[in-house]
Amino acid sequence: MEFISLLGRVFIHFLRASGQLGIFTVKAIYNCFTPPFYFKKIAEQLIEIGFYSLPVVALTTFFAGAVIALQTYTGFARFSAEGAVAMVVLIAVTRELAPVMAGLMVAGRIGAAMAAELGTMRVTEQIDALSTLSTNPFKYLISPRILAGIVMMPVLVLIGDVIGICGGYIIGVYKLDFNASSYLVNTWNFMEPMDVISGLVKASVFGFIITLLGCYNGYNSKGGAQGVGSATTNAVVSASILILIFNYILTEIFFNS
Amino acid sequence: MTERKNPAQKEFNKTLVQKTMALFSSKQPHPIKIKLSNVHKSFGKKVVLDGLDLDIRKGESLVIIGGSGTGKSVTLKSILGLLTPEEGSITVDGVEVVNASTKVHEQVNAQIGMLFQGAALFDSMTVWENVAFGLIQGHKMKKKEAKKIALEKMAQVGLTADVGDLYPADLSGGMKKRVGLARAIATHPEIIFFDEPTTGLDPIMSDVINDLIVDSVKKLGATAVTITHDMTSARKIADRIAMLYKGKIIWIGTVKEIEKTKNPYVVQFINGSAQGPIQMAVKADD
Ligand SMILES: Nc1ncnc2c1ncn2[C@@H]1O[C@H](COP(=O)(O)OP(=O)(O)OP(=O)(O)O)[C@@H](O)[C@H]1O
Ligand SMILES: [Mg+2]
């Protein structure tokens, strides 16, 4: 009996939370496309998300590409198919590793920062103050972040693609002694536009998820420092989980039809 | 005869016409600017506003007093639409704001300035940018012009120009309060809410702020609602004083009337006595 009522309560809580997130999402999207637009705020966020996330994304994709080259080489040696290394690196990096790695890294960096910043603004009544100064907080704070996330993540991932493939190339050529030019030719010949495009679409969706959840958790945070802390944690954890779920769904849509 | 009149003359004529019109059109001697009727607001099980009724007249300076945690700030936030009452009606210039659309709130709030209890300064901006924010965003003013006005407003609350380039984190509590005040009045709003404007200020600075509030009402014709615990300040700035207790306005009257009232709640409050009908919860509930 006790257990059933607990289950019911959890279920109702879940419904309420998803309803709230749904309304927030609709409002956020609506406000992204209606004036006024705060171009300076959008530019700030583009730089914050794009430029300052570049080092972490570059590092993670580089090592991801490198490790894939190493793993495929040693693994595929069992079938004497070492020649496939260039292709595997290409597919793994563009389709999966660059978008997912960049997504998770940016979720940790940007999602957390957004939740903390908006959360602090909420608990110190700065968000309330905005609306008494002829400024819609949704348009001023949330829309620029979400737009920047959607636009900037694909750019980051495209750069990550190049760096990840470089990582594979460096391991392949300098450690596994492949011929440099044939490695590059292999990579180029195997490349299909869909590999890259699917990765970029994923990146855009991840950018939306990260910024939406960062903003949602921050905007709705309650209490003081503790509330902001848990908003930050929730933003990162929920964005990471959703990224992995949507990664699967999008892969299914792109490659399984 | 010149066709063009100077702007001051024009302005004067306009206000004269408006005032005459107001005299003829309103049957009441005091047109009502903000009307709260039967407002209920609870947080969970805790009832804060319990059928609050209050009329705020155009051009008056109303002071709200009442114990800590009785819902004074909640009342102001309900008018601004930052909190939504479960029941009742609030109108500003006849426009209903309870459960109104974002657009209505934006229009109504555009003519209201608010000093928040905790100042609520934007900590990512410098002090002058805070003060100029409403001018730049709401009135689409150029940065340079807005900065000039911001520095003027800061001077009125006793802050020098060099404070303008600091960030809110570098200010003392009383300075933050004054920056918040300058920000609230910068756009010359028709309605101004001051949530404890003199708390945390020294007595002299408090008096400067009191004068500023009186000026805003008398010279600029604003309607002001001030929350305060400071009875000296209340006596100086109020046209009328209202006392909030247990979610209702239990007493309202002029400064003269409050000195003579026999209402035991008001008497206890203004004398600051622990004995009386108002019981502070100082014992833990069992
Ligand atoms: N956002 C909120 N969530 C939950 N409870 C709240 C919220 N805002 C206010 N309250 C509660 O409402 C009551 C009234 O709060 P309010 O801030 O209006 O008090 P106040 O009269 O302004 O007091 P003070 O003079 O100390 O500022 C308090 O008991 C407070 O706990
Ligand atoms: Mg208060």
mmCIF file of all heavy atoms in Angstrom, chain A residues 222, chain B residues 42-44 46-49 66-75 77 83 117 195-196 227 229 244, ligand 1:
data_model
loop_
_atom_site.group_PDB
_atom_site.id
_atom_site.type_symbol
_atom_site.label_atom_id
_atom_site.label_comp_id
_atom_site.label_asym_id
_atom_site.label_seq_id
_atom_site.Cartn_x
_atom_site.Cartn_y
_atom_site.Cartn_z
ATOM 1 N N LYS A 222 15.072 27.460 -6.769
ATOM 2 C CA LYS A 222 14.452 28.025 -5.566
ATOM 3 C C LYS A 222 15.460 28.002 -4.433
ATOM 4 O O LYS A 222 16.416 27.239 -4.473
ATOM 5 C CB LYS A 222 13.243 27.170 -5.163
ATOM 6 C CG LYS A 222 12.071 27.293 -6.104
ATOM 7 C CD LYS A 222 10.825 26.705 -5.443
ATOM 8 C CE LYS A 222 9.612 26.847 -6.335
ATOM 9 N NZ LYS A 222 9.688 25.964 -7.509
ATOM 10 N N SER B 42 -1.357 32.171 -0.999
ATOM 11 C CA SER B 42 -0.742 31.237 -0.049
ATOM 12 C C SER B 42 0.482 30.606 -0.686
ATOM 13 O O SER B 42 0.594 30.530 -1.899
ATOM 14 C CB SER B 42 -1.702 30.109 0.328
ATOM 15 O OG SER B 42 -3.001 30.587 0.455
ATOM 16 N N PHE B 43 1.389 30.153 0.168
ATOM 17 C CA PHE B 43 2.507 29.325 -0.290
ATOM 18 C C PHE B 43 2.349 27.976 0.386
ATOM 19 O O PHE B 43 2.539 27.876 1.596
ATOM 20 C CB PHE B 43 3.837 29.960 0.082
ATOM 21 C CG PHE B 43 4.084 31.261 -0.628
ATOM 22 C CD1 PHE B 43 3.882 32.469 0.013
ATOM 23 C CD2 PHE B 43 4.502 31.275 -1.947
ATOM 24 C CE1 PHE B 43 4.101 33.668 -0.646
ATOM 25 C CE2 PHE B 43 4.725 32.465 -2.616
ATOM 26 C CZ PHE B 43 4.519 33.662 -1.963
ATOM 27 N N GLY B 44 1.955 26.968 -0.374
ATOM 28 C CA GLY B 44 1.652 25.676 0.245
ATOM 29 C C GLY B 44 0.506 25.854 1.218
ATOM 30 O O GLY B 44 -0.539 26.385 0.869
ATOM 31 N N LYS B 46 0.784 27.694 3.924
ATOM 32 C CA LYS B 46 0.923 28.978 4.611
ATOM 33 C C LYS B 46 0.144 30.079 3.891
ATOM 34 O O LYS B 46 0.437 30.441 2.760
ATOM 35 C CB LYS B 46 2.400 29.351 4.657
ATOM 36 C CG LYS B 46 2.675 30.556 5.515
ATOM 37 C CD LYS B 46 4.156 30.873 5.525
ATOM 38 C CE LYS B 46 4.412 32.225 6.126
ATOM 39 N NZ LYS B 46 4.059 32.309 7.543
ATOM 40 N N VAL B 47 -0.882 30.593 4.597
ATOM 41 C CA VAL B 47 -1.684 31.678 4.019
ATOM 42 C C VAL B 47 -0.978 33.003 4.305
ATOM 43 O O VAL B 47 -0.679 33.302 5.455
ATOM 44 C CB VAL B 47 -3.096 31.706 4.641
ATOM 45 C CG1 VAL B 47 -3.906 32.861 4.076
ATOM 46 C CG2 VAL B 47 -3.790 30.383 4.407
ATOM 47 N N VAL B 48 -0.691 33.761 3.260
ATOM 48 C CA VAL B 48 -0.005 35.039 3.471
ATOM 49 C C VAL B 48 -0.999 36.195 3.319
ATOM 50 O O VAL B 48 -1.207 36.969 4.237
ATOM 51 C CB VAL B 48 1.185 35.205 2.514
ATOM 52 C CG1 VAL B 48 1.856 36.552 2.729
ATOM 53 C CG2 VAL B 48 2.194 34.093 2.749
ATOM 54 N N LEU B 49 -1.621 36.323 2.153
ATOM 55 C CA LEU B 49 -2.654 37.347 1.986
ATOM 56 C C LEU B 49 -4.009 36.658 2.057
ATOM 57 O O LEU B 49 -4.251 35.660 1.380
ATOM 58 C CB LEU B 49 -2.489 38.076 0.647
ATOM 59 C CG LEU B 49 -1.152 38.782 0.445
ATOM 60 C CD1 LEU B 49 -1.131 39.510 -0.886
ATOM 61 C CD2 LEU B 49 -0.842 39.735 1.581
ATOM 62 N N GLY B 66 3.786 46.917 8.985
ATOM 63 C CA GLY B 66 3.328 45.602 9.423
ATOM 64 C C GLY B 66 4.519 44.755 9.798
ATOM 65 O O GLY B 66 5.645 45.039 9.391
ATOM 66 N N GLY B 67 4.259 43.722 10.596
ATOM 67 C CA GLY B 67 5.338 42.887 11.120
ATOM 68 C C GLY B 67 6.113 42.199 10.009
ATOM 69 O O GLY B 67 5.663 42.103 8.866
ATOM 70 N N SER B 68 7.280 41.718 10.369
ATOM 71 C CA SER B 68 8.108 40.996 9.421
ATOM 72 C C SER B 68 7.405 39.705 8.996
ATOM 73 O O SER B 68 6.859 38.999 9.835
ATOM 74 C CB SER B 68 9.446 40.676 10.092
ATOM 75 O OG SER B 68 10.322 40.142 9.161
ATOM 76 N N GLY B 69 7.382 39.456 7.694
ATOM 77 C CA GLY B 69 6.777 38.210 7.199
ATOM 78 C C GLY B 69 5.267 38.260 7.083
ATOM 79 O O GLY B 69 4.615 37.232 6.929
ATOM 80 N N THR B 70 4.656 39.464 7.163
ATOM 81 C CA THR B 70 3.198 39.526 7.043
ATOM 82 C C THR B 70 2.739 39.608 5.595
ATOM 83 O O THR B 70 1.543 39.561 5.323
ATOM 84 C CB THR B 70 2.629 40.758 7.797
ATOM 85 O OG1 THR B 70 3.407 41.895 7.458
ATOM 86 C CG2 THR B 70 2.645 40.544 9.288
ATOM 87 N N GLY B 71 3.659 39.763 4.660
ATOM 88 C CA GLY B 71 3.259 39.742 3.249
ATOM 89 C C GLY B 71 3.281 41.091 2.561
ATOM 90 O O GLY B 71 2.624 41.274 1.545
ATOM 91 N N LYS B 72 4.085 42.017 3.074
ATOM 92 C CA LYS B 72 4.159 43.340 2.440
ATOM 93 C C LYS B 72 4.837 43.236 1.079
ATOM 94 O O LYS B 72 4.325 43.744 0.078
ATOM 95 C CB LYS B 72 4.921 44.311 3.356
ATOM 96 C CG LYS B 72 4.306 44.420 4.756
ATOM 97 C CD LYS B 72 5.027 45.421 5.623
ATOM 98 C CE LYS B 72 6.471 45.046 5.949
ATOM 99 N NZ LYS B 72 6.610 43.825 6.780
ATOM 100 N N SER B 73 5.972 42.551 1.059
ATOM 101 C CA SER B 73 6.669 42.397 -0.229
ATOM 102 C C SER B 73 5.829 41.576 -1.200
ATOM 103 O O SER B 73 5.799 41.857 -2.399
ATOM 104 C CB SER B 73 8.025 41.726 -0.018
ATOM 105 O OG SER B 73 8.826 42.477 0.861
ATOM 106 N N VAL B 74 5.145 40.565 -0.674
ATOM 107 C CA VAL B 74 4.289 39.722 -1.522
ATOM 108 C C VAL B 74 3.205 40.575 -2.178
ATOM 109 O O VAL B 74 2.877 40.387 -3.356
ATOM 110 C CB VAL B 74 3.674 38.575 -0.689
ATOM 111 C CG1 VAL B 74 2.571 37.873 -1.458
ATOM 112 C CG2 VAL B 74 4.755 37.578 -0.287
ATOM 113 N N THR B 75 2.654 41.554 -1.436
ATOM 114 C CA THR B 75 1.632 42.431 -1.999
ATOM 115 C C THR B 75 2.165 43.186 -3.217
ATOM 116 O O THR B 75 1.535 43.205 -4.274
ATOM 117 C CB THR B 75 1.163 43.439 -0.934
ATOM 118 O OG1 THR B 75 0.771 42.710 0.231
ATOM 119 C CG2 THR B 75 0.011 44.280 -1.422
ATOM 120 N N LYS B 77 4.763 42.427 -5.074
ATOM 121 C CA LYS B 77 5.098 41.508 -6.171
ATOM 122 C C LYS B 77 3.848 41.016 -6.878
ATOM 123 O O LYS B 77 3.898 40.698 -8.076
ATOM 124 C CB LYS B 77 5.906 40.324 -5.639
ATOM 125 C CG LYS B 77 7.325 40.708 -5.334
ATOM 126 C CD LYS B 77 8.134 39.516 -4.890
ATOM 127 C CE LYS B 77 9.473 39.971 -4.368
ATOM 128 N NZ LYS B 77 10.139 38.880 -3.640
ATOM 129 N N LEU B 83 4.202 37.447 -8.691
ATOM 130 C CA LEU B 83 3.503 36.366 -7.999
ATOM 131 C C LEU B 83 2.045 36.453 -8.433
ATOM 132 O O LEU B 83 1.538 37.536 -8.691
ATOM 133 C CB LEU B 83 3.589 36.538 -6.480
ATOM 134 C CG LEU B 83 4.967 36.427 -5.843
ATOM 135 C CD1 LEU B 83 4.909 36.831 -4.368
ATOM 136 C CD2 LEU B 83 5.509 35.011 -5.969
ATOM 137 N N GLN B 117 13.647 44.820 -2.028
ATOM 138 C CA GLN B 117 14.157 44.808 -0.656
ATOM 139 C C GLN B 117 15.655 44.499 -0.645
ATOM 140 O O GLN B 117 16.411 45.103 0.096
ATOM 141 C CB GLN B 117 13.369 43.776 0.166
ATOM 142 C CG GLN B 117 13.627 43.865 1.652
ATOM 143 C CD GLN B 117 12.608 43.073 2.451
ATOM 144 O OE1 GLN B 117 11.687 42.481 1.910
ATOM 145 N NE2 GLN B 117 12.768 43.060 3.748
ATOM 146 N N ASP B 195 10.605 49.117 -1.493
ATOM 147 C CA ASP B 195 10.554 48.095 -0.440
ATOM 148 C C ASP B 195 11.693 48.359 0.548
ATOM 149 O O ASP B 195 12.846 48.043 0.275
ATOM 150 C CB ASP B 195 10.669 46.697 -1.069
ATOM 151 C CG ASP B 195 10.170 45.613 -0.125
ATOM 152 O OD1 ASP B 195 10.077 45.896 1.091
ATOM 153 O OD2 ASP B 195 9.866 44.504 -0.595
ATOM 154 N N GLU B 196 11.353 48.934 1.667
ATOM 155 C CA GLU B 196 12.300 49.294 2.723
ATOM 156 C C GLU B 196 13.476 50.127 2.206
ATOM 157 O O GLU B 196 14.628 49.695 2.254
ATOM 158 C CB GLU B 196 12.804 48.026 3.435
ATOM 159 C CG GLU B 196 11.639 47.173 3.898
ATOM 160 C CD GLU B 196 11.988 46.180 4.993
ATOM 161 O OE1 GLU B 196 13.140 46.169 5.440
ATOM 162 O OE2 GLU B 196 11.091 45.438 5.388
ATOM 163 N N ILE B 227 7.195 50.483 1.623
ATOM 164 C CA ILE B 227 7.145 49.582 2.767
ATOM 165 C C ILE B 227 8.249 50.014 3.707
ATOM 166 O O ILE B 227 9.381 50.234 3.259
ATOM 167 C CB ILE B 227 7.392 48.133 2.321
ATOM 168 C CG1 ILE B 227 6.247 47.651 1.435
ATOM 169 C CG2 ILE B 227 7.572 47.227 3.526
ATOM 170 C CD1 ILE B 227 6.518 46.304 0.813
ATOM 171 N N HIS B 229 9.764 49.862 8.065
ATOM 172 C CA HIS B 229 9.621 49.576 9.498
ATOM 173 C C HIS B 229 9.997 50.812 10.299
ATOM 174 O O HIS B 229 9.918 50.819 11.518
ATOM 175 C CB HIS B 229 10.557 48.435 9.913
ATOM 176 C CG HIS B 229 10.218 47.130 9.301
ATOM 177 N ND1 HIS B 229 9.100 46.423 9.649
ATOM 178 C CD2 HIS B 229 10.839 46.388 8.359
ATOM 179 C CE1 HIS B 229 9.046 45.307 8.944
ATOM 180 N NE2 HIS B 229 10.095 45.263 8.146
ATOM 181 N N LEU B 244 -0.729 46.233 7.686
ATOM 182 C CA LEU B 244 -1.049 44.872 7.246
ATOM 183 C C LEU B 244 -0.854 43.913 8.425
ATOM 184 O O LEU B 244 0.184 43.941 9.094
ATOM 185 C CB LEU B 244 -0.114 44.502 6.088
ATOM 186 C CG LEU B 244 -0.302 43.168 5.390
ATOM 187 C CD1 LEU B 244 -1.681 43.077 4.764
ATOM 188 C CD2 LEU B 244 0.757 42.973 4.325
HETATM 189 N N1 LIG C 1 8.507 32.789 -3.135
HETATM 190 C C1 LIG C 1 8.061 32.396 -1.933
HETATM 191 N N2 LIG C 1 7.904 31.082 -1.669
HETATM 192 C C2 LIG C 1 7.432 30.680 -0.471
HETATM 193 N N3 LIG C 1 7.104 31.493 0.524
HETATM 194 C C3 LIG C 1 7.239 32.810 0.331
HETATM 195 C C4 LIG C 1 7.724 33.332 -0.906
HETATM 196 N N4 LIG C 1 7.745 34.676 -0.831
HETATM 197 C C5 LIG C 1 7.306 34.982 0.409
HETATM 198 N N5 LIG C 1 6.995 33.873 1.103
HETATM 199 C C6 LIG C 1 6.441 33.833 2.464
HETATM 200 O O1 LIG C 1 5.439 34.799 2.554
HETATM 201 C C7 LIG C 1 5.499 35.468 3.799
HETATM 202 C C8 LIG C 1 5.491 36.946 3.570
HETATM 203 O O2 LIG C 1 6.688 37.331 2.932
HETATM 204 P P1 LIG C 1 7.051 38.836 2.625
HETATM 205 O O3 LIG C 1 8.374 38.810 1.954
HETATM 206 O O4 LIG C 1 5.943 39.485 1.897
HETATM 207 O O5 LIG C 1 7.174 39.467 4.057
HETATM 208 P P2 LIG C 1 7.353 40.989 4.442
HETATM 209 O O6 LIG C 1 6.060 41.451 5.022
HETATM 210 O O7 LIG C 1 7.880 41.727 3.281
HETATM 211 O O8 LIG C 1 8.417 40.896 5.594
HETATM 212 P P3 LIG C 1 9.742 41.759 5.856
HETATM 213 O O9 LIG C 1 9.296 42.995 6.525
HETATM 214 O O10 LIG C 1 10.557 40.907 6.746
HETATM 215 O O11 LIG C 1 10.369 42.006 4.532
HETATM 216 C C9 LIG C 1 6.715 34.962 4.511
HETATM 217 O O12 LIG C 1 6.288 34.110 5.544
HETATM 218 C C10 LIG C 1 7.485 34.183 3.501
HETATM 219 O O13 LIG C 1 7.999 33.028 4.088
#
